[in-house]
Amino acid sequence: MKLNKIILPVMACALTLSGCYDEKMEWGKPDGHGDVNISDIPLALKEKLANYDYIKAYAKQYAPHMTIGLGLGADQYISDPQYKQVADDNFQLFTTGNAMKHQAVVKSDGSLDFTTIDAFLQAVPTDIKIYGHNFLWHTQQNQNYLKSLIAPTMKVESSGGVANILSGDATDFNGGTTGGWGSWGSNKDSQTIEEGAGSDGTPCMVLKNLGDGNAWEAQCGYTLSDFLQVGKTYMIKFKAKSTSGAGYLQFQYQNGTTYGSQGGYNDFNIGIDWNDFEYEFTPDYEDINRIILNFGKVGATYYIDDIQFGLKVEDPMTNVLSGDNSDFEGGTKGSWGSWGNNSTTSVSASGEGYNSNYCIVLVNPTDGSDYYAAQLAYTFDDPLKVGETYVIQFYAKTSLTGAGVQFATQNSNDYSGEGYHAIPLSSEWVLCEHEYTCSKEGINRILINFGKNAATFYLDNIKFGVKKATARALTRGTSITYVPKSAEEKKAALLSAMEAWIKGMAQHPGMERVTEWDVINEPIGDNSKWRGFDNTFMDGDSAPVENEESGLTLNWGNEAGNGHFYWGYYIGKEYATKAFEYARKYCSTGTKLYVNDYNLESSPNKLAALIDFVQYIEDNGQEVDGIGTQMHVSSSITKDQVDAMFKTMAATGKLIRVTELDVQVGTTTPSAEQLATQAEVYQMIFDSYRINVPQAQQSGITIWTLTDSKKEHEYWLPNDAPNLFDANYERKHAYKGVCDGIAGKDISEDFSGDDWKNAYETEGEETPAE
């Protein structure tokens, strides 16, 4: 028998170990008796504890039909050899406190991180079982990811412009380089340029974030050649998408040498589809020469393309052109027509537009007599208003430096015109703009004449409309609209995520060792109703708050960073049936599936509701193998309460497991009397379980955490001493209570002084001479 090393005990006679021999001598030879032997001496409590075998030895001897488990911290088990040794020596099954929960495994892009789980599986001896905890809960869920699945689709439309000072790869990355953008930070994984990954099939910049953190822990910046001008309005525009619907980028500026003068912060919510983003700001400092996109907040991969940065260009008109009539991004010429001088008009190849995919291309094969020899025209349904001032604006370049185009207007019926204005061009894109006041009746056509010079002309972002009375210097030319998902779309998205999560966990290599799972944890509220229904949420929670404008679900009422998410709120009661359906489908054959809840020993109504919950699942075609009762109890719990709970649970015919047993004493420094009471409660619970639950239904009992150390109780019961071992891994009185409860008797009644002597010798100590 493996015995625990004896600590010098404080016996009733307050003697040391060697003093016990003295005590034997003092006993002498009582009347009518022979000599007193060492085996006749009663043992003190610490000596008894030292003589107890490991817990799992008694489980194998007295209760081989069930397993005695331990709830533990995976990280501490992996890193602390002493913690691991005591756990391995005493228990047959392990439940990780947090390592297998949704929030610990699911990243913000929906991928699964098995780093901790794999290390844990490798460390646990193969003869120790692992209990899965858990698939679905109402807290410790990756809320960012789940919310992103049901968030409305965001559409961004911009009417503002920017005088872009970036060029080449710094804007579109089409040359295969970053163009001067650099990245750094503790949360940065990589920065690459990926061919074909851009919104138009061309290259784009790809930033990978290691995991959730602070936004500034992964940064991508561009250092400008000159300082920005104080008091001027600047704008950054870019296209982006993420592998996570909860993707997040943040803009800021700073001085690239001192890293000071920081400001201009703005947050962007980046979804899984390409979208346009923009932000404008006015610098507060005179030494700003770096712009930064921070990508460290949400663990995901970010795709960024078509970055423009520079002074904001206000639209001086109310543009009446839209879609392909303005930007040609649909790949057509819209309603523009052309003629004259054997010229041709077409849409460019992808990537040839002004910081965009497409533009319109005008080819004049020979010099003409005048600009009007070749014309590009757009005809309105209604004529322009006489006396109204209009503005034409577009970006253009030409294959022949010095060649140009001409703006004009016309009556499409009699071809009379006015407003002629020549615009010289170069081989680089330039912004062209001209004001025109209509003076003739019937003007209903605008022209861009290009017949004078034999050349190719590229035009993009053509805008035309009535001149605005005043330009608003700080107006964001951006319209953001949200398209909410229907209830069915939300349900479908979450069910898909639920199935992917359960499948990913159950089929991960090594997880076949998990032969029992808490499929749904704590489904019943303290009011005995299903959580997530009828405003039954976690204590203090309410229904999710929704933004009136966007319909975006923001937070549960009392989120406080705990990852609250109620699957049933969006899926309905079917969430419970589906969870068991997926678990049964993907877990190894023979895996036992449980529901698990707390306060069942003190709330008969809640227990009844949980049993009804199980019945609902089975009435809808899925089997529940077992019911778990957590049993976080205090030392004041009564035997009648515990007996009643076990009898009610046993009547279901299901496997019954105590999943998270601990006994609170109300202090971190309990007295000997309090420790004795705690031991009695532990033993009483084991006795009640053994007596009231038939053997065929006895899955076993799991003790929740190993020791009373502060490290294990930083968050859970921080002001208590609820466990079987003290902070120094010494057995407490409760250890004896558990062993006696497993055996159904006081094991120490069979101990004697010889056992104490043998225990002392087993540890290699020199036994005092008799």
Side-chain angles (χ1 to χ4, degrees):
M1 180 180 290
K2 172 64 176 173
L3 303 175
N4 194 45
K5 183 174 181 179
I6 295 177
I7 307 301
L8 293 180
V10 180
M11 302 188 67
C13 60
L15 296 175
T16 64
L17 282 171
S18 59
C20 291
Y21 283 86
D22 296 333
E23 184 181 22
K24 183 200 75 168
M25 299 303 294
E26 291 173 2
W27 280 13
K29 184 187 289 185
D31 291 342
H33 292 275
D35 291 333
V36 176
N37 297 315
I38 187 70
S39 60
D40 297 321
I41 303 176
L43 302 181
L45 175 60
K46 283 192 175 182
E47 292 174 326
K48 289 179 181 179
L49 288 173
N51 277 276
Y52 270 78
D53 204 341
Y54 297 128
I55 292 172
K56 67 182 181 184
Y58 296 120
K60 291 176 182 178
Q61 180 180 359
Y62 295 104
H65 52 282
M66 67 179 187
T67 53
I68 306 302
L70 173 69
L72 47 68
D75 289 331
Q76 188 171 0
Y77 178 85
I78 294 166
S79 62
D80 187 335
Q82 187 175 11
Y83 183 94
K84 181 182 186 306
Q85 187 64 56
V86 175
D88 289 350
D89 286 344
N90 282 281
F91 297 96
Q92 301 167 300
L93 173 148
F94 292 152
T95 303
T96 61
N98 296 305
M100 293 186 182
K101 291 175 181 173
H102 192 274
Q103 193 174 42
V105 180
V106 179
K107 300 171 69 175
S108 291
D109 62 359
S111 62
L112 307 185
D113 182 356
F114 289 99
T115 303
T116 300
I117 291 176
D118 287 342
F120 178 71
L121 292 172
Q122 186 175 2
V124 177
T126 56
D127 63 337
I128 295 178
K129 298 179 180 179
I130 298 174
Y131 188 95
H133 180 71
N134 51 60
F135 281 137
L136 296 191
W137 197 14
H138 60 272
T139 189
Q140 286 187 254
Q141 311 291 283
N142 189 321
Q143 189 189 92
N144 281 343
Y145 170 63
L146 296 174
K147 282 167 55 178
S148 75
L149 299 176
I150 59 178
T153 301
M154 181 177 67
K155 293 185 176 181
V156 183
E157 297 179 356
S158 174
S159 61
V162 53
N164 187 26
I165 59 176
L166 306 179
S167 62
D169 282 0
T171 286
D172 59 23
F173 311 104
N174 287 347
T177 74
T178 62
W181 289 89
S183 62
W184 56 85
S186 58
N187 224 24
K188 170 205 165 184
D189 184 350
S190 64
Q191 174 193 13
T192 58
I193 303 299
E194 291 191 13
E195 182 70 34
S199 62
D200 57 354
T202 59
C204 73
M205 181 167 64
V206 181
L207 304 173
K208 292 185 180 180
N209 177 12
L210 289 171
D212 294 354
N214 294 304
W216 47 263
E217 289 181 290
Q219 299 183 301
C220 182
Y222 185 92
T223 303
L224 305 163
S225 58
D226 295 311
F227 295 128
L228 303 184
Q229 301 177 58
V230 174
K232 296 289 187 180
T233 300
Y234 288 84
M235 177 178 284
I236 183 166
K237 300 178 71 171
F238 58 93
K239 298 178 185 293
K241 72 172 184 176
S242 168
T243 55
S244 169
Y248 175 99
L249 293 174
Q250 181 187 67
F251 174 83
Q252 72 163 99
Y253 58 68
Q254 67 175 199
N255 179 279
T257 301
T258 67
Y259 311 118
S261 301
Q262 301 192 43
Y265 295 98
N266 186 71
D267 301 332
F268 300 99
N269 296 314
I270 311 296
I272 59 175
D273 298 316
W274 281 106
N275 225 323
D276 295 299
F277 299 91
E278 67 178 49
Y279 171 61
E280 63 186 61
F281 64 93
T282 303
D284 296 326
Y285 306 97
E286 296 181 347
D287 60 345
I288 303 302
N289 66 341
R290 176 179 285 168
I291 54 174
I292 296 174
L293 290 174
N294 295 326
F295 61 102
K297 183 173 182 179
V298 174
T301 299
Y302 298 90
Y303 299 82
I304 301 172
D305 204 358
D306 296 336
I307 305 175
Q308 301 177 56
F309 176 77
L311 288 169
K312 179 182 178 182
V313 177
E314 289 284 353
D315 283 342
M317 86 297 287
T318 302
N319 186 28
V320 296
L321 303 179
S322 61
D324 282 1
N325 294 320
S326 180
D327 61 20
F328 313 104
E329 288 303 284
T332 77
K333 296 183 291 183
S335 298
W336 290 90
S338 64
W339 50 78
N341 206 38
N342 293 317
S343 62
T344 59
T345 306
S346 63
V347 175
S348 71
S350 178
E352 291 186 352
Y354 173 71
N355 295 322
S356 63
N357 290 334
Y358 302 107
C359 65
I360 196 167
V361 181
L362 315 175
V363 179
N364 183 36
T366 61
D367 290 347
S369 59
D370 207 330
Y371 287 107
Y372 57 76
Q375 297 181 303
L376 178 71
Y378 184 93
T379 304
F380 298 101
D381 293 334
D382 299 313
L384 305 183
K385 293 182 179 180
V386 174
E388 194 81 79
T389 298
Y390 295 85
V391 177
I392 179 76
Q393 184 187 84
F394 56 90
Y395 283 87
K397 67 177 181 178
T398 179
S399 63
L400 177 64
T401 300
V405 296
Q406 180 190 63
F407 169 78
T409 63
Q410 187 181 76
N411 182 313
S412 64
N413 294 315
D414 61 15
Y415 306 116
S416 61
E418 65 175 3
Y420 301 100
H421 178 74
I423 303 172
L425 301 176
S426 72
S427 59
E428 299 292 332
W429 286 104
V430 294
L431 178 63
C432 307
E433 189 173 293
H434 174 63
E435 289 185 16
Y436 150 75
T437 301
C438 180
S439 63
K440 290 185 177 182
E441 297 285 348
I443 297 294
N444 67 337
R445 175 179 286 167
I446 56 175
L447 299 167
I448 297 178
N449 298 327
F450 61 100
K452 186 174 181 179
N453 303 113
T456 300
F457 302 89
Y458 301 83
L459 278 68
D460 204 355
N461 294 341
I462 305 174
K463 299 177 182 180
F464 180 82
V466 176
K467 179 183 178 181
K468 293 179 181 179
T470 58
R472 293 176 295 170
L474 295 179
T475 299
R476 269 191 84 160
T478 304
S479 172
I480 301 177
T481 57
Y482 296 91
V483 181
K485 289 182 174 65
S486 67
E488 286 303 313
E489 287 175 322
K490 292 178 180 179
K491 178 179 177 180
L494 289 174
L495 284 175
S496 178
M498 180 193 295
E499 182 173 10
W501 152 240
I502 292 175
K503 178 181 179 181
M505 284 292 286
Q507 295 190 342
H508 181 71
M511 293 296 282
E512 64 275 4
R513 292 180 61 184
V514 181
T515 57
E516 296 174 282
W517 269 102
D518 285 336
V519 177
I520 302 179
N521 191 44
E522 300 178 6
I524 307 300
D526 290 337
N527 60 358
S528 301
K529 295 182 179 181
W530 288 36
R531 289 190 189 275
F533 302 85
D534 302 322
N535 290 323
T536 298
F537 303 106
M538 191 171 178
D539 295 341
D541 278 8
S542 59
V545 179
E546 295 188 351
N547 182 290
E548 293 183 1
E549 177 183 352
S550 68
L552 282 167
T553 299
L554 301 179
N555 294 309
W556 298 89
N558 188 34
E559 182 188 11
N562 292 325
H564 295 186
F565 191 87
Y566 299 85
W567 294 82
Y569 183 82
Y570 295 101
I571 298 174
K573 289 188 174 182
E574 184 184 358
Y575 96 95
T577 306
K578 283 295 186 181
F580 273 83
E581 176 187 331
Y582 298 146
R584 190 70 66 189
K585 179 178 180 180
Y586 296 113
C587 289
S588 301
T589 302
T591 300
K592 303 302 181 184
L593 305 179
Y594 291 74
V595 295
N596 182 47
D597 221 317
Y598 66 92
N599 280 357
L600 304 183
E601 69 284 338
S602 59
S603 177
N605 290 337
K606 186 173 184 178
L607 175 56
L610 185 66
I611 293 172
D612 288 343
F613 179 84
V614 170
Q615 190 62 52
Y616 172 87
I617 295 171
E618 299 203 320
D619 287 345
N620 285 275
Q622 298 302 317
E623 182 181 3
V624 178
D625 296 307
I627 302 175
T629 173
Q630 293 181 14
M631 296 202 74
H632 299 294
V633 302
S634 70
S635 54
S636 62
I637 189 73
T638 68
K639 183 177 183 299
D640 287 344
Q641 289 175 302
V642 176
D643 286 346
M645 178 192 69
F646 282 136
K647 288 176 181 178
T648 301
M649 295 179 76
T652 66
K654 301 295 181 186
L655 291 171
I656 307 302
R657 182 164 197 91
V658 179
T659 56
E660 303 179 18
L661 176 62
D662 50 35
V663 180
Q664 301 156 48
V665 293
T667 178
T668 56
T669 56
S671 64
E673 182 179 0
Q674 287 173 309
L675 290 172
T677 300
Q678 182 184 53
E680 291 170 1
V681 172
Y682 268 112
Q683 183 172 349
M684 178 267 289
I685 291 171
F686 272 81
D687 285 340
S688 179
Y689 180 81
R690 191 185 64 256
I691 293 168
N692 294 303
V693 178
Q695 276 195 13
Q697 294 173 251
Q698 292 178 15
S699 168
I701 296 177
T702 293
I703 308 298
W704 203 244
T705 75
L706 184 63
T707 77
D708 293 337
S709 70
K710 291 182 179 180
K711 187 173 183 179
E712 286 195 81
H713 293 280
E714 182 178 1
Y715 304 106
W716 178 248
L717 304 179
N719 301 311
D720 217 297
N723 297 119
L724 309 187
F725 296 86
D726 66 19
N728 297 313
Y729 297 99
E730 298 298 339
R731 296 170 176 179
K732 294 167 56 182
H733 198 159
Y735 185 95
K736 178 180 184 300
V738 166
C739 294
D740 292 348
I742 293 171
K745 66 176 185 178
D746 185 347
I747 296 171
S748 69
E749 288 182 351
D750 297 331
F751 295 165
S752 69
D754 283 329
D755 294 305
W756 163 78
K757 175 184 175 184
N758 292 337
Y760 196 82
E761 291 175 336
T762 299
E763 295 301 325
E765 304 287 349
E766 181 181 348
T767 307
E770 297 185 30

